[in-house]
Amino acid sequence: MFEFLFKRPADKSDTPAGKSAQASPNPAPQPSQTSVLRAQQAEKVAALAGDEAAAVEFILQSDFSELRLAAAEHVHTAAQLEKVHAAMRNTDRRVAKLMQSRLDALRHHQAELGRGQACIDQAEALLKDDKLSPNQVADLDRRWSVIAAPELAEQFNAIRTRLAQRLEAQVTLQRAMIDSLTALRALGASDLRAADLAERLDAMAQAQAAALAAPEHASLPRSLTNEFASEHARLTASLGALEQGQSAVIARETALAEWRATPPGAFNQEQLKKAWQQLPPAAPAEAADLQQRFEVLLASLPAPVAAPGKPAREPRKSAPAQAPDQHFIDTLDAMEAALQQGSLGSAAEMDKILKDSKGTRLTPALSERLAHARAELKRLSDWARWGGNVSREELIKAVEQLTTQKLAMSELAKKVGSMRERWKALDTLSGAAPKSLWERFDAACSAAYAPAAAHFKHLADERHTNAAKAQELIAEAAQETAKLAEGESVDWKHMAATVQRMRLAWSHLGAIDRKEKKRLDHEFTDALNTLQAPLEQQRKNEVAEREAMIAQVAALDAHDRHALDTLRALQERWQEHARALPLERKSEQALWQKFRAACDAVFARRKESANAADAERRSHQEAKDAISARLEHAAGEPDAVAHAARLLREAAAEWNAIGAVPRANEAKVDKRYHAAIAALQHHVDAAKREASRAQASALRDKLRLCQELEAQVAAGGEQADSCDWAARWSALPALDATYERTLKARFDAALAASGDGRAAFAALLEKNSAPLLHEILRLEIVAGIDSGSEFARERLKLQVETLQSSLKSGQKPGNQAAHFLQLCAMPALVDDRTASRIDHLFTRIARDDKSKAGK
């Protein structure tokens, strides 16, 4: 009932009776004062006008949360935000949250600036890089697209523009290089004169040099530059041949022009033929046209005339000649075509056919053509013979160089064979070679082939050795089969290792002569099959045993507490069987995978059970965390006092009904729960203390109002006219029912005293002054409060009486609060000293009751 009688914050010690007026605490500001103070601080907020330092100072000193929030709008720098956040973190959540959000925004902006600066640094590095690629710029654009830094946009855009210019320059340079290469290829197929072609090639070379010296030359593909260089070198190298061919054409055209301008009798056919053959050969594209023009000129000249004095030789009589048929003309055309193409073999075959056509009468034109064709065949044959000898010399040098090259023996044999085939081909095309050249070539081939011959002999010896090793393996297999037939105890592991070793040794034997390979393979297979038959049967039994173990593992109950022991025993048994007789690798792996899968299934089922238990414990933790969160939320609600007891009882019942939580989090969960309970209890206690302070203040104010009213009634004033006592009483907060009823009765009695009743009530007040002092003195004795020197005698006498009365009756003194209630109900006149003693006594009684309530 008396929990509201708490000590005020200023009443930290007992105050002496003579100094109570001077040491009394300052009364709380009235509503009017609060409004004035709020208005003053609101004016300060309005006058801040962006002054951040003044805003921070105001926030730290103001008592009004909405004004602090308004002043917080003027704080923007990081240092001041940190300062206000640190001060308001536990005081004003709204201001602290605003400060934190602005700090986060500042930090985010700083991070964005850092990322933006990193992008700018990367862009500058790319700008300095000689080998700039579009992919790098695209990556840079992607990085910048997610950065919000308007301050750096202008700087980045400037660098990005320069990068774009570089990329554009690279594209232009590459397109120019592609165009130059296309133009260079077109030059190779053109009919330009050698001088014009040389001039164009020089211009292109200069353009290529300028492109390679350009700032973005590093971006040019190496394949383009290499192809341009090779094509330019090829065309430059062909300039000499082209110039020579064009010079030959000019020379022949000049000669034809001169011969046409010469009078008809100045030359004959033989002279022109010799002069025509002495001219340099023309290009194949124009040689046919020039030859046809020469033949036309030659036909217009007279035949050679015999020298005077020498009679012409009479022709011998022979069989009548026949006119050439179409076959002869076709053969001659084929011969000329073969000579034109440089096919000497075909031309020689055609010449043989023409020689076999005896008795054919030829026209002068056909005779001339045949003579010219045979002369060309002889000339080309001479060149071919000379070229064949040169090729043979080169072939001999190539064979002699084979001894210095580190070639594989098979490749060396192939090369020597190919050299001999090329020699035979030269004999066919260029005629037989001189004997000296053949002897040199044969000696060089023999010397080059000598290492290969030794190598192949060594391989033959190895094949014979491998055949002997194979025969030994077959004999060993036969011996093992004989031991098995004798019925001796078999070491299956040794048997399996022996079979595996023999099979591996057979596979590593190496090459054997083909005629013996088939026989030895057949004999070894028969011996090994005979030896391996009982081993395979034993392996089948072992596979069945392993399958049985797998079935035992699959049948295990994962929830049985002996399951793990049984599983370990089966695993050890499996290892013993594996050591006793290893199966084939494929079967061993398959059975092991099945056994391991069965074991993993057992462990998985046990793990599922453990996971289910863990999930249940985690759900218990979530439920307990929810209880703690509900208590924490309730501790922050202002109206939690009314249902705090019920909430604590429900939380305790739910907490005890929930099962265990994970062991690792048990201490943390319990700590949070007890902390939430303590926080809620602290909140309730604080609310009760606040209510008690309010009740104590209201009790003191109403008691003083009664004393003031009684003093005015005793003085004979007109209370109803001077002030509205009832309104003043109603303005004060309501008290606990007992004290409210007691003081209301006293107030109503004083208020009702008027007219004739006023004198009686004044007399009652005067009469009760002495009992009031007596009651105060007795309460001070019980409470242990000093009454002052002027009451020392009476205090001592009352102490003795109180002690004697308690000894006679055997009862303890009554409750201080009950006696104080009686004192409050007694109307009496009091002076300032008596009122101070009552306040001091009230403070002590309230503190004692608070201590008892806390215990």
Side-chain angles (χ1 to χ4, degrees), residues 2-207:
F2 303 103
E3 292 179 355
F4 63 88
L5 299 176
F6 287 97
K7 180 181 177 181
R8 288 192 176 183
D11 299 334
K12 295 184 180 179
S13 62
D14 298 336
T15 306
K19 298 182 180 180
S20 61
Q22 292 79 1
S24 61
N26 295 327
Q30 296 299 325
S32 59
Q33 297 177 355
T34 303
S35 301
V36 172
L37 183 59
R38 184 188 300 272
Q40 292 176 354
Q41 294 189 6
E43 292 178 358
K44 290 183 179 180
V45 172
L48 289 175
D51 190 351
E52 190 175 27
V56 171
E57 184 178 358
F58 178 83
I59 293 171
L60 299 180
Q61 295 179 358
S62 178
D63 296 330
F64 301 101
S65 60
E66 65 275 8
L67 297 180
R68 288 197 297 266
L69 184 62
E73 297 295 334
H74 301 280
V75 182
H76 298 285
T77 60
Q80 301 293 354
L81 290 172
E82 291 282 359
K83 182 177 180 181
V84 175
H85 180 265
M88 296 290 109
R89 183 171 52 190
N90 299 324
T91 304
D92 195 330
R93 290 186 178 180
R94 293 191 297 173
V95 175
K97 187 176 181 180
L98 178 61
M99 298 297 104
Q100 185 64 51
S101 64
R102 290 186 178 177
L103 285 172
D104 293 341
L106 283 176
R107 296 190 185 103
H108 177 72
H109 186 62
Q110 292 296 328
E112 290 293 310
L113 289 178
R115 293 171 59 193
Q117 188 60 44
C119 278
I120 292 175
D121 295 341
Q122 182 184 359
E124 291 178 347
L126 291 178
L127 199 58
K128 297 176 182 178
D129 192 359
D130 294 336
K131 297 181 179 180
L132 178 64
S133 66
N135 292 337
Q136 293 174 328
V137 179
D139 292 339
L140 179 66
D141 291 339
R142 282 194 293 271
R143 287 187 59 188
W144 180 260
S145 63
V146 297
I147 296 174
E151 301 91 335
L152 303 176
E154 184 177 356
Q155 184 180 359
F156 177 81
N157 291 334
I159 301 176
R160 181 61 179 83
T161 302
R162 295 171 64 186
L163 291 174
Q165 293 173 355
R166 283 194 59 186
L167 291 178
E168 185 65 26
Q170 289 182 3
V171 172
T172 304
L173 187 62
Q174 293 173 6
R175 288 177 179 172
M177 175 59 68
I178 294 173
D179 295 341
S180 299
L181 182 59
T182 304
L184 189 62
R185 289 171 179 169
L187 280 181
S190 64
D191 296 332
L192 292 176
R193 298 178 61 83
D196 297 337
L197 181 60
E199 183 179 357
R200 296 286 295 277
L201 287 176
D202 290 340
M204 287 189 174
Q206 294 176 2

Side-chain angles (χ1 to χ4, degrees), residues 459-482:
L459 292 180
D461 295 339
E462 282 187 352
R463 286 195 293 271
H464 290 298
T465 304
N466 293 336
K469 291 180 181 179
Q471 198 65 46
E472 291 176 0
L473 286 175
I474 294 173
E476 183 182 358
Q479 290 177 3
E480 293 292 337
T481 305

Side-chain angles (χ1 to χ4, degrees), residues 388-455:
N389 291 335
V390 173
S391 298
R392 289 186 180 96
E393 290 285 351
E394 295 295 332
L395 195 60
I396 292 171
K397 291 181 181 179
V399 174
E400 290 174 348
Q401 289 177 358
L402 289 178
T403 57
T404 62
Q405 299 176 2
K406 296 180 180 180
L407 301 175
M409 296 297 104
S410 58
E411 186 177 358
L412 178 61
K414 290 180 181 179
K415 279 187 174 295
V416 173
S418 65
M419 295 294 183
R420 289 187 179 275
E421 292 295 331
R422 288 175 61 185
W423 185 275
K424 292 180 182 179
L426 287 175
D427 287 346
T428 303
L429 296 175
S430 305
K435 185 178 180 181
S436 58
L437 284 179
W438 162 248
E439 290 176 351
R440 285 177 56 194
F441 176 73
D442 186 60
C445 287
S446 299
Y449 188 73
H455 173 70

Side-chain angles (χ1 to χ4, degrees), residues 628-651:
S628 300
R630 190 165 67 247
L631 292 176
E632 290 169 354
H633 178 70
E637 294 181 353
D639 56 345
V641 181
H643 56 278
R646 176 181 57 80
L647 183 61
L648 289 174
R649 286 194 303 272
E650 293 175 356

Side-chain angles (χ1 to χ4, degrees), residues 238-265:
S238 66
L239 278 176
L242 180 62
E243 185 175 359
Q244 184 178 359
Q246 291 178 352
S247 300
V249 170
I250 294 173
R252 288 179 180 256
E253 288 181 347
T254 304
L256 288 174
E258 290 177 355
W259 292 339
R260 286 194 187 96
T262 304

Side-chain angles (χ1 to χ4, degrees), residues 304-366:
V305 181
K310 292 183 179 180
R313 189 179 294 179
E314 294 182 0
R316 290 181 301 174
K317 294 182 180 180
S318 59
Q322 300 178 358
D325 56 0
Q326 187 63 34
H327 177 68
F328 185 90
I329 297 174
D330 293 339
T331 305
L332 181 59
D333 291 339
M335 180 179 178
E336 290 176 344
L339 290 173
Q340 187 70 26
Q341 295 176 0
S343 179
L344 296 182
S346 299
E349 293 293 332
M350 298 298 106
D351 187 42
K352 283 183 180 180
I353 295 173
L354 293 176
K355 286 180 180 180
D356 293 339
S357 301
K358 296 180 179 180
T360 303
R361 184 173 58 85
L362 302 178
T363 63
L366 284 177

